[in-house]
């Protein structure tokens, strides 16, 4: 499911705003459209049941204006009708909601289904780590383009490839120095959560992508993700180093 | 004393060596006693250079996508070739010969993402049928009466329609047609080329642009030009030798393939000769002129180039610019054929020259001046008929997306959901992928309103 907010951003502006006709001075009288009786307006405006013309709407607006100014003697139909609504305003101000049987049945359809997220949370994490100075759209553009190159190069789902590389590249344990109260500090290995592991892997990918040739960040990022997917990234050395340190200090593991 | 004796021995040695047949330089030096022979030793690096095999490119995204040849990684396409009696709402590939012609002309552009497929694909829409009726079927009629301006919003497929029109007309006339296609008309005025003044013709010439364009049209019309005999004798120099081509003996292909004076920085009359030759042959062979980004020519009529007075040079003072305007005007003098002009939305939308010329019934601000509006040019370009593009229908876009799905461009995924870490045995929900695909189709169609570029961006460039 692609979020509507994102979609809106991806569409060219010319599509969103239809072609506007400039300098138009033509004043051709347009025929007044007749509104059918089943139209929503006739339900809340029962004075003219079959159809509502522009005149009716004007008189409605005038009546609202008059009532707002504090008119107490009512001349027109609209004013009388509106006054009735004002007097029985309690009905309309009720905040309790009782669903109809139809609505209850419909809600059962979606009982098991969760509301889908806008984006994949891991991709969102990558976007947020790339983002600088709150420019999320720019970061998203970089990721989109990088993923497109990955998809074209490997002909697989880039999200799956990215997740796989994070699984491969992410370290399992990190080490933390703890003060013992004496002169010597001890280095304690600690397991990491999935999010922490991903963060390490993503930062290593981003660091490594800086050394690439292209001036375009999206191309560099794509290259580095493909590289890491193939098992050639410099991040693997860092991961091995971290694991080595942790195994050396395994005596201090606290369970 | 001892030193002297050693030297004296060396001196004595030299004349003996001189008598030998080998060169003195190549003779080995006599090793001094007590010293070991010196050897040139290269330092060996302990570190092994690891080659990064996935170094893709140094280019930015737009060029990188074209340069990396992604079409080679795409799966095979099993689609029919485009024919003159095509059915509407289907995806086709171009016939091999036409595809190579379109490629050489620069028909497939950047950000059209044709690289994502093994071959360039095209969808026949209502626009295709309309242009077939309005333009392709009328190519045998008078050139003046067959002038269209393709108008529409960004990404709706104007350049693709140009390609389709060229392909259909080539198919209809069995490649017996002259196609003069210009894929980027903005190069004439944007100051990217060199320019010289031709005193004889009193016109500015742009050797770089002319040479490149002629190279393109030569590649696209090789077969046709080989059939076209010259109507006038012509001379030119090649490799400091004068070459004479005679009328009714040599062909236009001989002339264009040998003549490199188009690109020389000296004034010449070869472009005029070429147009004249095409004019002569246009009685028998129809001429299709298609100009992409035409609004860049008209709306930027005052170019970036400066005259000796340091005033901007008008587009009509250039040889190529004048040719394009004359073609659009219909006064070039071609007998049979037609002109297809196309709009590009990347240029200033507030400039109205072409809009006033094409839509004379529309009202416009009479007080507009240069550079927003060029009244003379607008009057000159009258008579061009507008061809407004319509967006894809839901069925057409579904057909297109099926191909994208088969080619692996559109990936149908499950909805993204939050992970339940606490629930160990989470239920595996089966998702119907067909309904998911239908959901994507409806979603992208509604948001982009049938704009193919918008749909592609939403599907392949949004994560």
């Amino acid at each position: 499911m692609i979020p509507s907010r994102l979609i809106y951003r991806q569409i060219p502006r010319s599509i969103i705003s239809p072609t506007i006709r400039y300098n138009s001075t033509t004043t051709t009288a347009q025929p007044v459209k007749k509104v059918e009786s089943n139209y929503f307006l006739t339900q809340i405006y029962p004075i003219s049941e079959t159809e509502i013309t522009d005149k009716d709407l004007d008189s409605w607006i005038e009546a609202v204006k008059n009532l707002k100014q504090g008119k107490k003697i009512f001349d027109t139909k609209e004013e009388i009708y509106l006054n009735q609504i004002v007097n029985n305003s309690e009905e309309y101000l009720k905040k309790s909601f009782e669903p109809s049987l139809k609505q209850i049945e419909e809600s059962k359809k979606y009982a098991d289904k969760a509301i889908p997220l806008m984006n994949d949370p891991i991709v969102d994490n990558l976007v947020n780590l790339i983002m600088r100075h709150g420019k999320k759209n720019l970061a998203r553009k970089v990721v989109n383009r990088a993923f497109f190159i990955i998809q074209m190069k490997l002909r697989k789902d880039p999200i799956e490839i990215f997740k796989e590389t994070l699984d491969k590249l992410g370290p399992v344990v990190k080490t933390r120095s703890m003060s013992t109260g004496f002169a010597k500090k001890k280095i304690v290995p600690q397991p990491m959560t999935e999010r922490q592991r991903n963060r390490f892997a993503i930062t290593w990918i981003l660091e490594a992508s800086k050394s690439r040739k292209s001036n375009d960040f999206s191309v560099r990022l794509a290259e580095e993700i493909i590289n890491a997917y193939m098992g050639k990234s410099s991040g693997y050395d860092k991961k091995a180093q971290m694991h080595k340190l942790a195994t050396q200090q395994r005596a201090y593991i606290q369970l | 004393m001892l030193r002297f004796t050693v030297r004296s021995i060396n001196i004595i040695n030299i004349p003996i060596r001189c008598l030998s047949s080998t060169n003195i330089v190549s003779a080995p030096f006599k090793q001094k006693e007590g010293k070991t022979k010196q050897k040139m030793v290269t330092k060996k690096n302990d570190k092994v250079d690891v080659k990064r095999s996935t170094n893709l490119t140094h280019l930015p995204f737009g060029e990188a996508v074209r340069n990396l040849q992604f079409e080679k990684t795409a799966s095979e396409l099993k689609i029919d070739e485009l024919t003159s009696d095509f059915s509407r709402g289907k995806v086709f590939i171009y016939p091999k010969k036409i595809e190579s012609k379109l490629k050489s002309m620069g028909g497939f552009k950047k950000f059209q993402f044709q690289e994502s497929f093994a071959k360039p694909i095209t969808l026949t829409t209502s626009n295709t049928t309309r242009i077939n009726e309005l333009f392709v079927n009328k190519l045998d009629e008078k050139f003046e009466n067959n002038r269209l301006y393709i108008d529409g919003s960004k990404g709706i497929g104007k350049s693709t329609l140009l390609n389709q029109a060229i392909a259909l007309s080539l198919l209809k006339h069995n490649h017996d047609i002259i196609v003069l296609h210009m894929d980027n008309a903005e190069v004439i005025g944007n100051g990217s080329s060199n320019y010289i003044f031709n005193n004889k013709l009193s016109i500015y010439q742009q050797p770089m642009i002319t040479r490149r364009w002629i190279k393109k049209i030569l590649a696209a019309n090789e077969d046709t030009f080989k059939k076209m005999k010259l109507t006038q004798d012509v001379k030119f120099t090649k490799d400091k030798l004068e070459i004479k081509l005679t009328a009714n003996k040599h062909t236009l292909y001989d002339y264009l393939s040998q003549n490199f004076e188009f690109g020389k920085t000296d004034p010449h009359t070869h472009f005029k000769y070429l147009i004249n030759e095409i004019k002569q042959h246009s009685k028998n062979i129809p001429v299709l002129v298609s100009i992409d980004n035409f609004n860049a020519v008209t709306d930027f009529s005052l170019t970036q180039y400066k005259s000796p007075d340091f005033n901007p040079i008008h587009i009509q003072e250039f040889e190529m610019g004048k040719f394009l305007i004359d073609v659009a005007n219909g006064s070039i003098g071609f007998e049979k054929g037609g002109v297809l002009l196309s709009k590009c939305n990347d240029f200033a939308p507030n400039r109205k020259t072409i809009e006033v010329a094409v839509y004379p019934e529309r009202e416009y601000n009479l007080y507009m001046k240069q550079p927003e509006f060029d009244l003379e040019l607008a009057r000159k370009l009258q008579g061009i008929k507008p061809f407004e593009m319509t967006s894809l229908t839901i069925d057409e876009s579904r057909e297109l997306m099926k191909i994208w799905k088969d080619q692996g461009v559109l990936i149908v995924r499950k909805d993204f959901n939050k992970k339940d870490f606490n629930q160990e045995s989470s239920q595996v929900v089966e998702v119907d992928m067909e309904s998911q695909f239908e959901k994507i189709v409806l979603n992208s169609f509604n948001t982009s309103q049938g704009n193919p570029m918008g749909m592609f961006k939403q599907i392949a460039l949004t994560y």
Side-chain angles (χ1 to χ4, degrees), chain B residues 68-196:
Chain B
L68 290 169
Q69 297 181 328
F70 290 139
E71 62 269 12
K72 285 181 182 172
T73 58
S75 56
E76 262 186 58
L77 270 169
K78 287 172 184 172
I79 308 172
D80 298 336
E81 283 186 356
L82 185 72
T83 50
S84 49
D85 53 337
F86 60 90
S87 53
R88 196 185 138 185
K90 270 196 165 187
V91 180
F92 293 99
I93 54 168
Y94 292 105
K96 208 174 180 182
K97 202 174 174 185
I98 292 173
E99 191 195 312
S100 66
K101 279 186 179 184
L102 288 173
K103 262 185 190 169
S104 62
M105 285 190 282
F108 305 114
K109 291 182 148 191
K110 203 162 73 171
F111 289 106
Q112 282 185 345
F113 300 109
Q114 292 285 11
E115 300 79 23
S116 37
F117 313 103
K119 281 177 179 179
I121 57 166
T122 187
L123 174 77
T124 50
T125 59
S126 57
N127 298 315
T128 322
T129 47
R130 264 203 302 151
I131 205 132
N132 202 24
E133 285 167 16
L134 292 172
F135 184 80
V136 178
N137 291 342
K138 289 181 180 175
L139 274 177
D140 287 326
E141 292 172 20
K142 265 197 166 185
F143 185 87
E144 287 171 29
N145 306 334
N146 205 4
R147 291 178 289 148
L148 285 183
Y149 177 72
I150 301 170
D151 196 357
S153 57
K154 191 178 169 69
I156 204 152
K158 298 180 289 297
S159 302
T160 313
L161 191 69
L162 274 187
N163 284 352
Q164 283 180 349
I166 291 169
L168 287 171
S169 42
L170 281 170
L171 283 169
K172 202 196 166 195
H173 292 269
N174 201 17
H175 293 265
D176 206 10
I177 183 176
I178 303 165
V179 182
L180 306 177
H181 180 72
M182 183 156 231
D183 60 321
N184 49 353
E186 73 269 16
V187 289
I188 292 164
N190 67 0
S192 62
S193 165
N194 55 349
Y195 64 113
I196 47 167

Side-chain angles (χ1 to χ4, degrees), chain A residues 107-119:
Chain A
S107 68
K108 279 176 187 173
K109 266 190 192 176
Y110 303 99
D112 305 336
K113 287 169 188 169
I115 297 167
L117 295 172
M118 288 206 301
N119 296 12

Side-chain angles (χ1 to χ4, degrees), chain B residues 191-306:
Chain B
S192 62
S193 165
N194 55 349
Y195 64 113
I196 47 167
F197 190 67
N198 191 333
N199 279 324
K200 272 187 187 174
L201 304 171
S202 66
I203 209 161
Y204 285 95
Q205 289 179 327
Q206 294 162 300
M208 262 161 65
I209 291 171
T210 319
R211 202 183 115 252
R212 280 173 194 166
W213 187 66
I214 278 165
K215 210 175 169 184
K216 281 180 186 177
I217 62 161
L218 184 65
N221 300 294
E222 196 180 322
D223 302 339
T224 328
F225 285 163
K226 275 179 182 172
K227 290 175 197 168
M228 288 162 67
K229 291 269 161 64
L230 296 178
T231 53
Q232 285 177 351
D233 295 349
V234 67
K235 290 192 281 187
F236 54 87
T237 51
K238 187 193 171 190
D239 300 335
K240 295 175 185 175
L241 288 170
E242 197 178 67
I243 294 176
K244 283 182 185 175
L245 298 180
T246 46
N248 296 320
K249 190 185 172 189
H250 292 101
T251 59
L252 197 62
Y253 179 78
D254 299 332
Y255 172 66
L256 288 175
S257 58
Q258 292 181 66
N259 189 356
F260 297 109
E261 284 188 9
F262 285 104
K264 279 189 177 175
T265 49
D266 304 323
H268 57 82
T269 54
H270 290 296
F271 190 79
K272 202 181 168 187
Y273 177 82
L274 170 69
I275 300 302
N276 202 27
E277 284 296 315
I278 294 170
K279 212 186 288 179
Q280 297 297 325
H281 284 92
S282 63
K283 291 167 198 167
N284 306 319
I285 307 167
V287 185
L288 196 164
V289 188
S290 54
I291 305 161
D292 209 349
N293 307 357
F294 183 68
N295 58 330
V297 176
T298 54
D299 291 348
F300 293 81
S301 55
L302 291 179
T303 59
Q304 295 287 321
Y305 300 99
K306 298 279 165 68

Side-chain angles (χ1 to χ4, degrees), chain A residues 1 7 11 15 23 25 116-117 119-120 144 147 151-152 155 157-158 194 212 214 216 223 227 232, chain B residues 52-57 59 61 70 73 116 154 363 365 408-409 413 415-416 419 447-448 451 461 463:
Chain A
M1 179 77 186
I7 292 158
I11 303 163
I15 304 162
N23 310 319
T25 49
L117 295 172
N119 296 12
D120 193 300
N144 288 344
F147 276 25
Q151 188 187 342
M152 289 296 113
R155 296 283 167 181
D157 189 357
E194 195 187 340
R212 298 262 155 194
S214 179
D216 200 331
E223 279 179 14
N227 221 10
K232 289 170 193 167
Chain B
R52 281 174 175 164
S53 60
T54 53
N55 250 349
L56 294 176
T57 174
L59 297 164
F61 178 75
F70 290 139
T73 58
S116 37
K154 191 178 169 69
E363 289 175 25
N365 185 2
V409 177
R413 301 187 190 89
D415 289 337
F416 301 126
K419 265 188 181 177
T447 46
S448 65
N451 186 305
L461 278 162
Y463 291 95

Side-chain angles (χ1 to χ4, degrees), chain B residues 297-343:
Chain B
V297 176
T298 54
D299 291 348
F300 293 81
S301 55
L302 291 179
T303 59
Q304 295 287 321
Y305 300 99
K306 298 279 165 68
S307 66
D309 322 329
F310 216 67
N311 293 324
I313 304 169
H314 198 271
I315 196 92
Q316 288 191 72
E317 291 177 55
F318 286 102
E319 196 171 38
M320 285 287 281
K322 192 171 179 293
F323 166 68
L324 294 190
I325 299 292
D326 285 351
V327 159
N329 186 17
S331 64
I332 189 80
F334 294 152
E335 294 275 324
K336 283 200 284 184
V339 197
L340 271 182
L341 312 166
S342 172
K343 188 188 173 184

